[in-house]
Amino acid sequence: MVGRFAFHYSDSEQGRRMAESKRIILGDDHDQTVHAARAALAKSGCKVIAAETLTELGEAVSHDIPDCIILDAALPGEGVAEFCMRIRRKGTLQKPLPILLLVPPRFNMTELAAIRPHVDELVTRVQALTAD
């Protein structure tokens, strides 16, 4: 476990080959989370591009469609639900784009209910962890 949440990755050669050249955009405004995610995912051969706001995240996606988006539920900007709907509506996506949502343990359930239909997975943040 690293940062404020856990990452599971494979140290095997096969795991590294499967992740090679995977481009992940991480939308999070916490330096500790970005650092921990970048370190953990790099071990699997993934390239992590960080964005601190939904605006930055949208610009990164528009330049080059990633293989996955990992998104903080409380990221500053237009609203996570609206952002995810807009990404899903874009007719330019030529492949499925998984969106994983990082959710704090005490996140607003009404807001989460609005976001949930537009993301693939919810990942609950774990507090008080340290980087490896």
Side-chain angles (χ1 to χ4, degrees), residues 7-10 15-25 37-49 67-68 70:
F7 284 102
H8 300 284
Y9 57 89
S10 171
R16 280 190 290 280
R17 278 196 315 267
M18 288 174 57
E20 280 180 19
S21 75
K22 294 294 182 188
R23 188 170 165 274
I24 298 172
I25 298 181
R38 197 179 300 263
L41 292 168
K43 288 181 181 180
S44 293
C46 296
K47 179 180 179 187
V48 177
I49 290 89
D67 294 292
C68 179
I70 302 174

Side-chain angles (χ1 to χ4, degrees), residues 2-16:
V2 292
R4 291 187 307 256
F5 51 93
F7 284 102
H8 300 284
Y9 57 89
S10 171
D11 281 329
S12 71
E13 182 62 31
Q14 179 184 12
R16 280 190 290 280

Side-chain angles (χ1 to χ4, degrees), residues 51 53-63 83 86-87 90:
T53 66
L54 288 169
T55 301
E56 287 179 17
L57 189 68
E59 289 172 5
V61 170
S62 69
H63 289 349
F83 174 82
R86 187 167 46 83
I87 291 295
K90 278 192 170 188

Side-chain angles (χ1 to χ4, degrees), residues 100-131:
L100 288 82
L101 187 68
L102 302 176
V103 183
R106 294 186 183 101
F107 194 69
N108 179 310
M109 294 308 287
T110 303
E111 193 171 342
L112 185 58
I115 299 169
R116 181 61 184 114
H118 310 291
V119 300
D120 296 289
E121 294 291 334
L122 301 176
V123 179
T124 303
R125 284 184 182 268
V126 179
Q127 302 297 323
L129 298 176
T130 59

